[in-house]
Amino acid sequence: MRPYAIAAPIVLILSVASSVAPASAAAPGEGFDVTRYDLALTPDVANKAVSGRETITLRAMADGLSRLSFSANALTIDHASLDGAPVAVTTRGESLDFDLPRPLARGRTARLEVTYHGRPARGLEGTGASLHTSYFACDWMICAQERFGDKAAFALDLTVPAGMDALAAGERVGRRPLPGGGEVQSWRTPRPYSAYLFGFAVGRFVRAEDRAGGVKLAYLSDVADADALRRRFGETGEMARFFADKAGVPLPVAEYGQLLVAGREAQEAATYSVLGLDAVPAAPGDPAQDWAVAHELAHQWWGNLVTCATLRDFWLNEGITTFMTAAWKERRHGRAAYEAELAMARSRLDKARAAGFDKPLAWDGTYPSLGARRAVQYSKGALFMDRLRTALGEEAFWSGLRRYTRDHAGGTVTSADLQRAMEAASGRDLDTLFAEWVFGAPPG
Ligand SMILES: [Zn+2]
């Protein structure tokens, strides 16, 4: 996501499972594991509303599981059942709780079915003529927003109004025309993803296409024509080749989409990104303006494929991506552009420090503001990657990044995983450097 602009009160979902002896209530990744979300969704484009029928397939990780907790949202739940038996639904603070008719035993698989409708408070942006999601997936469906560690398959049957096209997380695997116009498009993710990466868009989109190796690049918009899309996104293929080389992993999707909308949006989803006209230069080649396409594309590897296990290590998503954006600029525009990008990160961190705020990258506390969080997790994170690069040298550093990315592709990571990969690649003990920057305590 973009470094400084989304209005995101990032709230940790508190699970009560860990502190209660007879494990009864739990959240995804802690007490139970969601293996897939199957969603049939009908968006109301004009009113920025949705109605949905969702099946959550889950497995109990502890005995006596009697309550399933997801993120509270503004939706109205019409009906909920577990394997056919009715389930009581209660909102408790930040938590949307499903109280089960009977406790589940460890290892037991169950299906929670929920029908709902409403107007999401966040996460759904629209002009009246088109609609796209942005970050807060668990505002328009039932999931757990900050439970990054619980990756799950996502299958969406999306009702698309007549005359409109759609884009969603995953690959489009089917289209079924509806009587009276419109169609249902079926989308499936190629692998499990964290819930914040689920998303969709519907509208009267113009479409342009390109290729990067074996990957199709699709550019869509209802605010620009096909020529403008090709101009603005024309360097995507070259960026993808650069990131794939540095990751040691090809762009991990069959098709990568970019949806161009009005405004300053910059938000990654599982297999596509949403970018605002004001965040993307009208033509490539301006080093002051071309961060957004690179940043959101880099998330396909760092963030989406290799994902921080918890919010504590969110810097692994955003700091590495911010650094890789600078590395792309170095490749595209030369060393001065790399230095300029890092200087910007340094000034953001310095500003936080001048206000009395600085924390280790893996600090687990509550940030006083979104700006403070970003000064650490985005800016200081990028500066630490540059520090590692300088300390280890080109060969060991990039080899370490490849090892980290390859070893954890499709999985989740903590800061210790990055340290291990960099140590293995360089043959050096990096305890002191990681203690100073990441963990905040001297080794031993
Ligand atoms: Zn980001």
Side-chain angles (χ1 to χ4, degrees):
M1 73 193 70
R2 66 177 301 121
Y4 278 84
I6 68 159
I10 295 177
V11 178
L12 269 176
I13 297 146
L14 298 174
S15 163
V16 294
S18 53
S19 58
V20 179
S24 58
E30 193 175 318
F32 67 95
D33 173 36
V34 175
T35 52
R36 58 182 297 123
Y37 295 91
D38 287 274
L39 179 60
L41 194 76
T42 302
D44 177 343
V45 175
N47 296 307
K48 282 203 266 185
V50 291
S51 58
R53 193 183 69 248
E54 181 173 337
T55 302
I56 300 173
T57 306
L58 59 98
R59 199 178 66 249
M61 295 158 66
D63 277 325
L65 180 65
S66 63
R67 178 182 296 165
L68 309 173
S69 294
F70 294 89
S71 298
N73 58 36
L75 299 170
T76 300
I77 307 291
D78 300 312
H79 184 256
S81 62
L82 189 87
D83 293 335
V87 166
V89 188
T90 312
T91 298
R92 295 179 175 91
E94 296 294 322
S95 184
L96 178 66
D97 292 339
F98 296 85
D99 288 301
L100 307 184
R102 326 173 266 290
L104 292 177
R106 175 199 286 268
R108 186 49 215 291
T109 294
R111 285 154 60 93
L112 176 66
E113 297 196 327
V114 187
T115 53
Y116 61 79
H117 71 276
R119 200 166 191 274
R122 303 170 299 185
L124 210 48
E125 307 293 332
T127 59
S130 66
L131 200 60
H132 69 268
T133 61
S134 184
Y135 186 69
F136 293 102
C138 307
D139 274 47
W140 51 265
M141 63 178 281
I142 310 303
C143 53
Q145 187 71 32
E146 307 288 0
R147 292 275 166 185
F148 306 131
D150 191 37
K151 293 189 174 186
F154 175 72
L156 172 65
D157 288 344
L158 182 65
T159 299
V160 180
M164 292 197 182
D165 194 4
L167 176 67
E171 292 153 27
R172 190 167 59 194
V173 296
R175 306 174 76 154
R176 179 167 55 83
L178 291 169
E183 62 179 0
V184 174
Q185 295 192 3
S186 297
W187 294 77
R188 305 284 181 267
T189 55
R191 68 178 61 77
Y193 284 98
S194 307
Y196 75 95
L197 295 167
F198 302 155
F200 69 89
V202 289
R204 290 181 169 79
F205 300 135
V206 166
R207 182 181 272 265
E209 288 179 359
D210 203 348
R211 292 205 73 83
V215 177
K216 185 158 100 179
L217 304 174
Y219 314 143
L220 294 88
S221 185
D222 66 346
V223 294
D225 62 24
D227 285 345
L229 284 171
R230 278 190 205 93
R231 262 198 319 278
R232 287 176 185 263
F233 294 135
E235 295 195 342
T236 308
E238 203 183 322
M239 287 176 188
R241 278 188 287 280
F242 173 73
F243 291 137
D245 175 51
K246 295 305 185 196
V249 176
L251 182 55
V253 293
E255 177 174 332
Y256 176 65
Q258 289 177 112
L259 176 68
L260 186 66
V261 299
R264 299 199 52 80
E265 183 84 78
Q267 178 63 50
E268 79 278 20
T271 58
Y272 70 90
S273 297
V274 182
L275 293 150
L277 279 168
D278 299 337
V280 177
D286 181 350
Q289 280 191 45
D290 69 352
W291 68 271
V293 174
H295 181 104
E296 306 313 332
L297 175 62
H299 274 314
Q300 287 294 318
W301 290 269
W302 302 286
N304 296 14
L305 185 67
V306 179
T307 314
C308 60
T310 69
L311 201 55
R312 173 191 155 103
D313 283 311
F314 194 56
W315 82 271
L316 292 170
N317 288 18
E318 297 296 347
I320 294 178
T321 290
T322 303
F323 166 78
M324 288 307 300
T325 304
W328 158 253
K329 283 171 174 258
E330 180 180 27
R331 159 68 65 92
R332 173 66 177 79
H333 306 291
R335 184 72 185 181
Y338 175 79
E339 299 289 357
E341 197 72 7
L342 291 175
M344 193 159 27
R346 201 167 293 113
S347 83
R348 284 169 174 163
L349 179 59
D350 285 347
K351 201 171 141 204
R353 283 175 171 162
F357 190 85
D358 185 17
K359 294 293 173 191
L361 290 170
W363 185 58
D364 208 12
T366 305
Y367 283 83
S369 66
L370 197 57
R373 169 183 290 283
R374 290 178 174 180
V376 172
Q377 293 180 326
Y378 289 67
S379 300
K380 188 177 185 175
L383 293 169
F384 176 57
M385 294 304 288
D386 175 65
R387 177 77 184 81
L388 277 174
R389 184 182 182 184
T390 306
L392 270 51
E394 288 295 287
E395 196 178 323
F397 172 78
W398 292 113
S399 158
L401 186 67
R402 278 188 199 98
R403 179 186 286 260
Y404 165 81
T405 312
R406 270 200 217 110
D407 284 0
H408 301 286
T412 56
V413 282
T414 66
S415 296
D417 294 315
L418 181 68
Q419 182 176 347
R420 272 193 288 272
M422 289 294 173
E423 288 183 338
S426 64
R428 288 176 52 178
D429 179 339
L430 298 174
D431 273 352
T432 305
L433 204 55
F434 271 77
E436 182 193 341
W437 284 78
V438 180
F439 299 115

